[in-house]
Amino acid sequence: SQQGEEDPQALSIQEGENATMNCSYKTSINNLQWYRQNSGRGLVHLILIRSNEREKHSGRLRVTLDTSKKSSSLLITASRAADTASYFCALDSGAGSYQLTFGKGTKLSVIP
Amino acid sequence: DTEVTQTPKHLVMGMTNKKSLKCEQHMGHRAMYWYKQKAKKPPELMFVYSYEKLSINESVPSRFSPECPNSSLLNLHLHALQPEDSALYLCASSQARGRETQYFGPGTRLLVL
């Protein structure tokens, strides 16, 4: 199973700014998911985007998927201190694997 | 109820101890997962149960032994662990195996001395 590569590894922004994280992968996917993890805690699902979708929104979150470039981005608008967390993309590569493989994550720090 | 619960929250054990981690969900999900997460690393899949049958075992050492007594419960039995097994152990569930949103518990922080 493949692993997504996330970029940047760490991101520090001021409250109110937008944060963009990217995830690239190598082979075809069935869907791509984004999760958030606060320090030392469980993961929280944010958005699932399927391979035939290009963009999805949820509140202040916007996810795009470009299957030709094999990449996805997560945009958090008007960031808040509470958005400070690690963000992971997770790939469902299909092909009967029926499992998610998590990328290495982006650690986001939002400074009040 | 979209909650996955895990007990205990913290566990310290010696290398000769036997302990168990417990996970429970009441969302009617038929797939449950154990992940291991080391500090500053992504979660790594250990086991997948689908309809109470072990369907994926990612070459995990036999000192980790999963058990799924019913569709709501998942246990991880630990025996003769090594210090390098110290990590956050996460349980998750989903409606079906793979391709679905996974709901995670808060994890058990394990320290092996």
Side-chain angles (χ1 to χ4, degrees):
Chain A
S1 54
Q2 65 173 320
Q3 183 177 42
E5 291 291 330
E6 298 191 56
D7 169 57
Q9 291 186 10
L11 179 61
S12 184
I13 60 174
Q14 296 288 330
E15 204 166 28
E17 294 180 338
N18 296 342
T20 300
M21 292 158 256
N22 303 294
C23 174
S24 60
Y25 55 93
K26 295 182 178 176
T27 62
S28 63
I29 58 170
N30 189 60
N31 69 57
L32 186 148
Q33 303 180 33
W34 286 91
Y35 288 80
R36 184 188 74 218
Q37 184 178 35
N38 289 79
S39 181
R41 305 296 293 167
L43 283 76
V44 175
H45 180 261
L46 298 175
I47 289 183
L48 182 154
I49 188 164
R50 301 192 188 281
S51 59
N52 61 352
E53 296 175 313
R54 292 296 166 258
E55 187 171 312
K56 287 190 86 167
H57 296 257
S58 177
R60 294 183 296 111
L61 306 181
R62 173 177 167 249
V63 167
T64 60
L65 178 64
D66 187 333
T67 53
S68 66
K69 294 182 179 178
K70 293 187 171 55
S71 69
S72 174
S73 67
L74 169 67
L75 168 68
I76 304 174
T77 59
S79 63
R80 305 167 182 169
D83 295 327
T84 295
S86 291
Y87 292 81
F88 294 93
C89 65
L91 308 176
D92 167 17
S93 299
S97 66
Y98 296 105
Q99 63 187 72
L100 294 180
T101 306
F102 286 82
K104 295 179 180 179
T106 293
K107 185 170 174 59
L108 173 66
S109 299
V110 181
I111 303 166
Chain B
D1 183 5
T2 58
E3 191 175 273
V4 176
T5 59
Q6 289 187 244
T7 56
K9 291 183 179 179
H10 301 275
L11 179 62
V12 180
M13 60 186 290
M15 289 189 285
T16 58
N17 292 158
K18 285 185 181 180
K19 297 286 185 183
S20 296
L21 309 184
K22 297 184 184 301
C23 175
E24 188 168 8
Q25 57 89 12
H26 293 289
M27 294 177 278
H29 289 171
R30 302 314 300 264
M32 296 185 76
Y33 312 79
W34 279 115
Y35 289 87
K36 173 182 177 181
Q37 186 178 27
K38 302 282 278 186
K40 301 185 189 301
K41 299 290 187 183
E44 294 180 355
L45 184 65
M46 300 175 73
F47 302 105
V48 180
Y49 272 84
S50 178
Y51 291 85
E52 298 153 50
K53 286 185 169 33
L54 182 64
S55 61
I56 293 178
N57 173 349
E58 293 286 302
S59 300
V60 177
S62 59
R63 56 186 184 268
F64 295 91
S65 174
E67 178 197 16
C68 190
N70 59 56
S71 60
S72 300
L73 293 173
L74 185 65
N75 299 322
L76 186 62
H77 302 297
L78 314 173
H79 175 54
L81 294 193
Q82 303 296 310
E84 60 264 29
D85 296 322
S86 298
L88 180 67
Y89 288 84
L90 294 162
C91 173
S93 71
S94 64
Q95 283 189 335
R97 190 181 73 175
R99 297 186 179 175
E100 302 285 342
T101 298
Q102 292 188 15
Y103 294 84
F104 282 80
T108 293
R109 176 75 59 190
L110 174 67
L111 177 62
V112 182
L113 300 176

